[in-house]
Amino acid sequence: MLQADCESVFEETCSGMLPLADRSGLIEVLGELHPGDTLVVCDVARLSRSFLCLAMVLSDLQKRDVKLRVLNQPREFTSLDQMLDQASHDLNTLKRLDHSRHIKRGIALAKKAREQAA
């Protein structure tokens, strides 16, 4: 965030899966934004892992003329369509990675159970 030349840095340690009402850090940063500001996040999943919640946040940003910059993306998003397209792609990628981790964990547990049974 320092390299992104941010004026203020907010940190939130809770899960992006929580409802917006339970995310005091995100609520605080959204309250600090003004028209013309740019919200900078490391990854779009930091805003939310729920597409519906993310769409609500992105819609709010657009209505208030706040741009979104995602550090792991090469461009700044200025339209809701751009934001949602990228967010959908990123969330689907996260789901695939989570699914892959669950499969690998299941395989490892099955191998361990087989070894213990032998």
Side-chain angles (χ1 to χ4, degrees), residues 27-41:
I27 291 170
E28 181 182 0
V29 74
L30 293 174
E32 294 288 325
L33 296 168
H34 302 287
D37 285 350
T38 299
L39 174 61
V40 179
V41 295

Side-chain angles (χ1 to χ4, degrees), residues 2-72:
L2 296 175
Q3 292 176 338
D5 198 28
C6 296
E7 290 180 19
S8 301
V9 176
F10 295 80
E11 186 174 349
E12 185 175 62
T13 56
C14 67
S15 170
M17 293 293 289
L18 291 175
L20 184 57
D22 295 336
R23 303 213 24 223
S24 59
L26 181 57
I27 291 170
E28 181 182 0
V29 74
L30 293 174
E32 294 288 325
L33 296 168
H34 302 287
D37 285 350
T38 299
L39 174 61
V40 179
V41 295
C42 298
D43 189 301
V44 80
R46 298 299 80 184
L47 291 176
S48 178
R49 286 187 171 234
S50 156
F51 190 76
L52 179 59
C53 181
L54 184 60
M56 290 170 36
V57 170
L58 297 178
S59 178
D60 176 62
L61 293 177
Q62 185 180 35
K63 286 178 188 171
R64 297 190 306 145
D65 192 30
V66 173
K67 294 178 184 145
L68 175 65
R69 180 172 172 213
V70 182
L71 294 180
N72 68 355

